[in-house]
Amino acid sequence: MAKHKLIIDCDTGTDDAVALMLAALHPEIDLIGVTTVFGNAPLTATTANSISVLDLIGRSSIPVHAGMPRPLVRKTMPSERFFKTDTTADPHGTYLDIPRSSRQATSNRAVDWLIETYRNATEPITLMPIGPLTNIAAAVAQEPKFAEWVPRLIIMGGGHEVPNMTPSAEFNVWADPEAAASVFEAGFKDVLMVPLDATHRALVTAEQCAALGALGTPAGKATETFVTRRINSYEEMQKMDIPNSAPVHDALCVAALVEPDIITTRRHHVAVETTGTLTLGRTVVDTHFRGGKEPNAAVAFDANAQRFVDLMMEIFAKS
Ligand code: BDR
Ligand code: CA
């Protein structure tokens, strides 16, 4: 029996896609469902991408529930162009380069599904948000006991020394700062935050990407396609320390679920800036315990890059 029951909340996206495949194919994980949110692309595309990825690897029995199409409070972040609903054209490259599934979302009520699933859970189910935190914040707002019911929350988001959206903010948190702030304040009992500081320590190189593709499996070949797209865009916009490489942020969360030692963490208090203009969406990690508040999260600062790639090689070799 799989050791970890898991729900992934995602905005698929190339790195979300790798995370979904790693979770769906790992023998120690039972991915019981996927919820989607706007983020890397409009909700229609993140939902279609999630379904298409699962179908590609033969996991069409995993339900996908569509969630929030916009931030909780703000109308236009991350940018108006993300909120276009046209699914026929793809002017911004928001669809993944894999066959588009005709499967529809199981429901468009992801927040209700999350609440009901945790209300009725008889075993621990880890919740892993790897997109903007809108669905999770909506569940917290709708059901006061939601945070209490979730045994473990693993968040890909934030950055202490490493930003990627503005000089001080990471995309998932910046895309809905009010939602992120409420999640960190909600009292979840076990929070692991995997920020850019850790994901940028687990870069995947073009050579490793080719080796994943050479496995010849659907997951291996798709990972090569997705990560190559990431490497190309990082080469163009934000060169990494290792030439021709890219972080695959979201997949590192899945790796950390099954192999906790793959990351190095410290416990700190984390809050989110929701008012500053320069610092909007910044995760304020109290690394030097200046704020007088108890730690509310384990924060990952480092990662084992080689083990991360080896894990993907092992799991994607099989399917
Ligand atoms: C996060 O933002 C998204 O672009 C990625 O999918 C990842 O979840 C990294 O900042
Ligand atoms: Ca994501």
Side-chain angles (χ1 to χ4, degrees), residues 51-126:
I51 293 171
S52 300
V53 168
L54 293 171
D55 289 8
L56 179 81
I57 55 166
R59 293 295 188 272
S60 46
S61 58
I62 297 175
V64 175
H65 297 267
M68 302 290 278
R70 288 180 178 275
L72 273 191
V73 179
R74 293 167 198 266
K75 286 204 166 56
T76 58
M77 284 169 80
S79 140
E80 267 304 325
R81 74 188 175 91
F82 286 99
F83 300 118
K84 295 200 172 126
T85 50
D86 180 1
T87 55
T88 52
D90 187 16
H92 309 299
T94 48
Y95 289 94
L96 295 173
D97 311 307
I98 52 173
R100 188 102 55 98
S101 169
S102 58
R103 176 158 72 109
Q104 298 300 303
T106 311
S107 85
N108 60 0
R109 305 183 65 84
V111 175
D112 293 341
W113 181 79
L114 284 170
I115 291 170
E116 290 317 309
T117 301
Y118 280 98
R119 188 196 304 283
N120 299 319
T122 53
E123 287 176 74
I125 308 168
T126 297

Side-chain angles (χ1 to χ4, degrees), residues 129-151:
I130 55 176
L133 287 147
T134 319
N135 287 338
I136 315 307
V140 166
Q142 200 172 308
E143 171 50 68
K145 290 202 160 155
F146 185 72
E148 196 185 302
W149 291 339
V150 174

Side-chain angles (χ1 to χ4, degrees), residues 14 27 30 45 57 65 78 81 90-91 118 120 127 130 133 136 145 149 160 166 229 232-233 241 282 288 296:
T14 50
D30 177 9
I57 55 166
H65 297 267
R81 74 188 175 91
D90 187 16
Y118 280 98
N120 299 319
L127 179 56
I130 55 176
L133 287 147
I136 315 307
K145 290 202 160 155
W149 291 339
H160 180 59
T166 71
R229 185 160 150 180
N232 292 343
S233 99
D241 292 344
R282 176 171 181 78
H288 289 73
N296 57 356

